[in-house]
């Protein structure tokens, strides 16, 4: 805790004049362009990763970067999305999973959830990923299985997000685009879900305007692994 307090003192002391002016401008309101939903994992720092400034990103984090479907579960993330879309008019929402995710590992190994009833209950919202991978890649386990699970969870949460009326309405009039990404911690790389190709590929400028096509038949052919793309 002392490190936090000292850190805040250093932050105030070392602040540039540009930052001071920016905070003064932001004091009366925010107009972030993007909502960024990611895992609570301490190794992910969205503002650092995207070289973002205060006011750029509306960040929401929870265990497993999960968005429960509409009407099934009243949760903070659903309220935050509704606010981001209807009050802040964000143009993009990104759901970003990551490598070595403890939540995804727990889907692989449910015994790890013993004594954690709340986490267990929460991860039911990610069960679609476990089921899809189990049914379509039953022989794949370990690190490769974890990668499939992580990818499928992002795709599943994108689908859940479409069930939110505010999201559906904004997508229907073209004012909102949704994106599914995965951050590889060890290699500091991001792969983005391409719904037309039905796979994750390295993030590039095309992803600013990725079409909102519904992905289907992802497992009809051997699914390329993101890092081999
Ligand atoms: Zn995680």
């Amino acid at each position: 805790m002392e490190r936090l307090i000292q850190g805040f003192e250093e932050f105030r002391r070392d602040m540039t004049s540009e930052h001071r002016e920016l905070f003064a401008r932001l004091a009366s309101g925010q107009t972030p362009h993007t909502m960024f939903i990611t895992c609570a994992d301490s190794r992910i720092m969205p503002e650092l990763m995207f070289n973002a400034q205060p006011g750029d990103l509306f960040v929401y984090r929870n265990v497993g970067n999960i968005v429960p479907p509409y009407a099934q579960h009243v949760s903070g993330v659903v309220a935050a999305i509704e606010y981001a879309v209807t009050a802040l008019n964000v143009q993009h929402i990104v759901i970003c999973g990551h490598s070595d995710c403890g939540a995804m590992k727990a889907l692989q190994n449910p015994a790890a959830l013993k004594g954690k009833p709340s986490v267990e209950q929460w991860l039911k919202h990610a069960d679609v990923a476990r089921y899809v991978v189990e049914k379509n890649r039953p022989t794949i386990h370990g690190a490769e299985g974890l990668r499939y699970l992580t990818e499928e969870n992002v795709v599943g949460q994108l689908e859940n997000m479409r069930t939110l009326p505010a999201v559906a309405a904004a997508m229907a009039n073209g004012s909102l685009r949704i994106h599914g990404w995965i951050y590889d911690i060890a290699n500091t790389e991001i792969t983005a879900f391409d719904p037309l190709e039905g796979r994750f590929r390295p993030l590039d400028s095309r992803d600013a305007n990725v079409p909102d096509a519904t992905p289907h038949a992802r497992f009809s052919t051997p699914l390329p692994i993101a890092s081999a793309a």
Side-chain angles (χ1 to χ4, degrees), residues 39 41 64-65 98 101-103:
C39 188
D41 193 294
N65 38 272
H98 68 100
C101 181

Side-chain angles (χ1 to χ4, degrees), residues 109 121 145 170 179 209:
N109 175 28
Q121 189 67 21
H179 311 261
N209 292 302

Side-chain angles (χ1 to χ4, degrees), residues 79-139:
I81 291 169
E82 190 176 274
Y83 183 75
V85 173
T86 61
L88 301 177
N89 300 310
V90 296
Q91 296 132 52
H92 300 274
I93 301 178
V94 178
I95 296 180
C96 188
H98 68 100
S99 60
D100 196 51
C101 181
M104 297 300 104
K105 287 179 175 174
L107 285 184
Q108 269 186 320
N109 175 28
L113 293 171
K114 196 166 183 292
K116 304 178 187 64
S118 300
V119 181
E120 187 175 18
Q121 189 67 21
W122 177 244
L123 289 181
K124 291 268 188 259
H125 296 300
D127 206 42
V128 61
R130 185 196 56 74
Y131 193 80
V132 168
V133 173
E134 190 177 288
K135 287 291 168 194
N136 291 289
R137 289 289 183 273
T139 58

Side-chain angles (χ1 to χ4, degrees), residues 2-194:
E2 277 171 20
R3 283 181 61 180
L4 279 190
I5 295 166
Q6 192 188 340
F8 185 63
E9 283 171 4
E10 287 168 5
F11 166 70
R12 294 193 67 202
R13 189 189 64 214
D14 300 339
M15 198 184 299
T16 62
S17 57
E18 286 84 5
H19 259 144
R20 227 173 278 280
E21 286 167 22
L22 178 60
F23 282 123
R25 263 203 318 278
L26 289 171
S28 56
Q30 58 168 335
T31 53
H33 50 76
T34 298
M35 179 174 191
F36 195 81
I37 299 168
T38 191
C39 188
D41 193 294
S42 64
R43 296 165 292 181
I44 302 170
M45 292 183 72
E47 290 85 353
L48 182 72
M49 286 157 55
F50 299 105
N51 206 12
Q53 293 297 312
D56 285 349
L57 296 178
F58 190 68
V59 175
Y60 195 95
R61 313 178 64 148
N62 63 33
V63 172
N65 38 272
I66 281 167
V67 178
Y70 186 65
Q72 188 179 322
H73 185 90
V74 177
S75 60
V77 62
V78 165
I81 291 169
E82 190 176 274
Y83 183 75
V85 173
T86 61
L88 301 177
N89 300 310
V90 296
Q91 296 132 52
H92 300 274
I93 301 178
V94 178
I95 296 180
C96 188
H98 68 100
S99 60
D100 196 51
C101 181
M104 297 300 104
K105 287 179 175 174
L107 285 184
Q108 269 186 320
N109 175 28
L113 293 171
K114 196 166 183 292
K116 304 178 187 64
S118 300
V119 181
E120 187 175 18
Q121 189 67 21
W122 177 244
L123 289 181
K124 291 268 188 259
H125 296 300
D127 206 42
V128 61
R130 185 196 56 74
Y131 193 80
V132 168
V133 173
E134 190 177 288
K135 287 291 168 194
N136 291 289
R137 289 289 183 273
T139 58
I140 293 179
H141 305 286
E144 201 182 358
L146 182 62
R147 186 156 42 193
Y148 277 128
L149 264 180
T150 306
E151 291 185 349
E152 210 53 46
N153 180 52
V154 167
V155 172
Q157 303 310 325
L158 285 174
E159 293 299 306
N160 285 353
M161 193 159 66
R162 291 169 194 271
T163 69
L164 309 185
V167 169
M171 287 178 73
N173 66 32
S175 62
L176 175 70
R177 288 178 182 278
I178 63 175
H179 311 261
W181 295 355
I182 289 171
Y183 175 56
D184 183 317
I185 294 169
N187 301 305
T188 55
E189 286 172 350
I190 289 177
T191 50
F193 180 61
D194 185 324

